[in-house]
Amino acid sequence: MKRIATLLFSAAILAMGQNEAAPPPGAAGQPKETKVYTVPAGTRIPLQIINSVSTKTAAVGDRVYLQTNFPIGAEGKILIPAGSYVSATVTSVKRAGKVKGKAELYIRFDSMTLPNGVTRDFRATVTALDGSNPGRIDKAEGKIEGDGAKGADAVKVGEAAAWGTMIGGVAGRSGTGAGIGAAAGAAAGLAGVLMSRGPDAILERGSTVE
């Protein structure tokens, strides 16, 4: 009985020691619950382009690098500090056609690296370009389009026709000569238009996208 009592007593002391050694939840030495902050979907984030991209030279798989130039906050905290880096990838490139069709550029955002070195997946769509970038954004598809060339083409044909009229008038000294010159100039201008492509879609270095 004495031996059994001693063992029980020893077990009780051991149990008490274990209870005293275990700190309460949340005390020092215990992992604390991590607070998760979320940037709401639809938040607009201005990004400055570090390397320029153009449909003239870009290829699928090319990397695009950007940087935040304004802090983004939520829930009373700055979650994306200014100076965070964003990497993206060119996923589709289409040059403008010689007769019709605008240049098109698609980029996929991949990740964001905060100034403290933490990297997170980053999924977003380009929704706006600043004034220094030619072209427009198709917000439904996130497609960056080059400007149309119709206005510029009309100017080219008109200038060629005007020069043709001038040359024909001087050479022929008659309305007929001017008409022939205009027709020839317009034909030459049109041929030049058909041989040239429309404007490229460009993201200029140092410009901002949203």
Side-chain angles (χ1 to χ4, degrees):
M1 289 294 295
K2 182 180 294 187
R3 184 180 179 186
I4 294 175
T6 301
L7 290 175
L8 290 175
F9 182 75
S10 299
I13 292 295
L14 179 60
M16 289 176 61
Q18 289 177 341
N19 289 335
E20 291 175 358
Q30 289 289 318
K32 295 182 179 180
E33 182 180 355
T34 302
K35 170 67 175 177
V36 176
Y37 296 93
T38 302
V39 178
T43 299
R44 295 178 179 271
I45 304 176
L47 297 172
Q48 189 174 39
I49 299 170
I50 297 176
N51 61 314
S52 61
V53 185
S54 171
T55 51
K56 184 177 181 179
T57 57
V60 173
D62 284 355
R63 302 293 289 169
V64 185
Y65 300 101
L66 310 95
Q67 186 177 22
T68 59
N69 53 15
F70 190 82
I72 303 298
E75 302 181 42
K77 300 282 187 180
I78 293 179
L79 303 185
I80 303 177
S84 300
Y85 290 99
V86 173
S87 64
T89 304
V90 174
T91 58
S92 178
V93 180
K94 175 186 174 184
R95 295 205 67 189
K98 293 183 177 181
V99 178
K100 63 179 181 178
K102 297 180 180 179
E104 298 177 359
L105 178 68
Y106 289 86
I107 63 173
R108 180 194 68 226
F109 291 102
D110 299 318
S111 64
M112 171 180 284
T113 301
L114 305 179
N116 63 0
V118 173
T119 299
R120 292 286 183 265
D121 290 340
F122 183 71
R123 299 292 178 261
T125 303
V126 178
T127 58
L129 302 175
D130 68 14
S132 64
N133 283 316
R136 59 179 292 274
I137 293 291
D138 184 336
K139 295 183 180 180
E141 298 184 22
K143 175 173 58 179
I144 303 164
E145 291 184 334
D147 284 327
K150 289 184 179 179
D153 290 348
V155 171
K156 289 180 183 177
V157 174
E159 288 178 347
W163 278 104
T165 300
M166 185 182 300
I167 294 169
V170 171
R173 299 293 182 183
S174 68
T176 303
I180 293 173
L190 181 59
V193 166
L194 294 177
M195 291 298 293
S196 61
R197 293 182 181 274
D200 285 293
I202 303 172
L203 295 178
E204 297 282 3
R205 178 182 179 183
S207 62
T208 301
V209 299
E210 192 175 78

